Amino acid sequence: MEGAGMPGSVVVLLGPPGVGKGTQGVRLARSRGWAHVSTGDLLRDARETGSELGCQAQAYMDRGELVPDDVIVGLVKERLNSLPQSQGVVFDGFPRTIVQAEALDGALADDGRRVSRVLLLEAGEELLVKRIAGRRSSPNGRVYNVYFDPPEREGLCDETGEPLLHRADDQPETVRSRLAVYRKATAPLADFYQRRGVLARVDGEGEIGAIHEAVQTIVQKKQVRP
Ligand code: AMP
């Protein structure tokens, strides 16, 4: 939480699927007492509860396509309205299109706020494909990677022995199309935020702790160096 009455910071984590926005978003939010708002997580929650919105979103998600802007903007506004204005927020996986970025500006402007910092996490495409397509998760929430962090027994959780799950949108073909969607629809947001002087680039290939330090340093600076 930030000072009472002061509008909270709004930080956006931008970058391709698999670059570590989720991992860094959770860490950043925890370390600063901010809310972590991941539209991917909000959609997966909606899907699990069997809500109409979740069912609508499922087909897009399974194909690795973007869920329509109006659905996403509605979800985000609902989430923002549930938080006090003084609450800092880190967005992960949102905005993903210029339309979403403009809608975010509009929603924040209503409260006299604006996006304070955008961190563009970057990594090479081969690494991204291995990170996502290799991802397996246990029903208990533990996440493995068959290339970088495999379980002791193939396909089974070390902790519970249960079979590991492979998200439908983490299959290699879907990963390639998610990366193509990123290049076309989302990558232009880097220029959009660069022009406003709020964009900073972060190397997403390193070790998780080192990336977190780099993220913290940027977030603490008053100005982003040109
Ligand atoms: P993620 O967990 O962020 O990789 O999101 C998983 C999937 O949810 C994406 O491939 C999209 O289908 C959908 N999704 C998440 N965030 C958005 C967004 N901001 N705009 C459109 N679709 C989204």
Side-chain angles (χ1 to χ4, degrees), residues 7-24:
S9 303
V10 179
V11 169
V12 168
L13 296 183
L14 191 63
V19 79
K21 300 186 296 298
T23 307
Q24 295 301 331

Side-chain angles (χ1 to χ4, degrees), residues 124-136:
E125 188 150 329
E126 283 319 305
L127 178 64
L128 296 172
V129 172
K130 279 190 166 174
R131 279 200 190 154
I132 315 175
R135 190 155 65 185
R136 302 288 184 279

Side-chain angles (χ1 to χ4, degrees), residues 48-63:
E48 255 151 52
T49 58
S51 74
E52 197 186 321
L53 185 147
C55 299
Q56 278 173 3
Q58 169 135 26
Y60 293 98
M61 295 173 79
D62 287 348
R63 288 194 301 263

Side-chain angles (χ1 to χ4, degrees), residues 17 21 38-41 43-44 57 60-62 64-69 72 92-97 100 135 167 169 178:
K21 300 186 296 298
S38 152
T39 42
D41 286 349
L43 291 167
R44 281 183 286 277
Y60 293 98
M61 295 173 79
D62 287 348
E65 292 170 10
L66 293 185
V67 173
D69 288 330
I72 298 289
D92 151 15
F94 174 87
R96 263 170 153 105
T97 63
Q100 292 179 15
R135 190 155 65 185
R167 257 168 63 177
D169 61 341
R178 284 166 67 194

Side-chain angles (χ1 to χ4, degrees), residues 8-224:
S9 303
V10 179
V11 169
V12 168
L13 296 183
L14 191 63
V19 79
K21 300 186 296 298
T23 307
Q24 295 301 331
V26 169
R27 283 199 170 207
L28 178 63
R30 196 180 299 143
S31 69
R32 305 194 73 92
W34 291 348
H36 171 234
V37 178
S38 152
T39 42
D41 286 349
L42 291 175
L43 291 167
R44 281 183 286 277
D45 288 348
R47 212 168 53 176
E48 255 151 52
T49 58
S51 74
E52 197 186 321
L53 185 147
C55 299
Q56 278 173 3
Q58 169 135 26
Y60 293 98
M61 295 173 79
D62 287 348
R63 288 194 301 263
E65 292 170 10
L66 293 185
V67 173
D69 288 330
D70 53 342
V71 174
I72 298 289
V73 169
L75 262 181
V76 168
K77 281 190 174 165
E78 200 179 307
R79 185 77 181 92
L80 268 182
N81 288 338
S82 73
L83 298 170
Q85 232 200 76
S86 56
Q87 169 76 63
V89 180
V90 52
F91 282 108
D92 151 15
F94 174 87
R96 263 170 153 105
T97 63
I98 299 279
V99 171
Q100 292 179 15
E102 286 170 345
L104 175 61
D105 284 345
L108 293 173
D110 290 344
D111 290 337
R113 301 168 80 184
R114 60 198 303 268
V115 172
S116 27
R117 197 70 90 238
V118 177
L119 295 138
L120 173 61
L121 296 170
E122 298 175 296
E125 188 150 329
E126 283 319 305
L127 178 64
L128 296 172
V129 172
K130 279 190 166 174
R131 279 200 190 154
I132 315 175
R135 190 155 65 185
R136 302 288 184 279
S137 50
S138 169
N140 76 354
R142 173 146 178 210
V143 180
Y144 298 83
N145 185 291
V146 297
Y147 303 106
F148 308 120
D149 180 21
E152 273 163 33
R153 284 175 303 154
E154 197 183 321
L156 300 175
C157 178
D158 292 346
E159 289 163 14
T160 64
E162 287 175 279
L164 298 178
L165 310 168
H166 196 186
R167 257 168 63 177
D169 61 341
D170 282 351
Q171 306 291 338
E173 320 76 67
T174 318
V175 171
R176 296 269 176 207
S177 69
R178 284 166 67 194
L179 287 168
V181 167
Y182 173 78
R183 279 194 297 271
K184 187 159 180 278
T186 309
L189 286 175
D191 272 352
F192 178 93
Y193 286 119
Q194 173 99 52
R195 279 197 293 273
R196 291 197 189 173
V198 292
L199 186 88
R201 292 169 193 272
V202 180
D203 180 357
E205 293 205 354
E207 189 266 319
I208 291 173
I211 300 173
H212 175 65
E213 291 304 317
V215 165
Q216 288 278 30
T217 305
I218 293 167
V219 167
Q220 277 155 17
K221 276 191 193 149
K222 290 229 173 335
Q223 297 268 311
V224 176

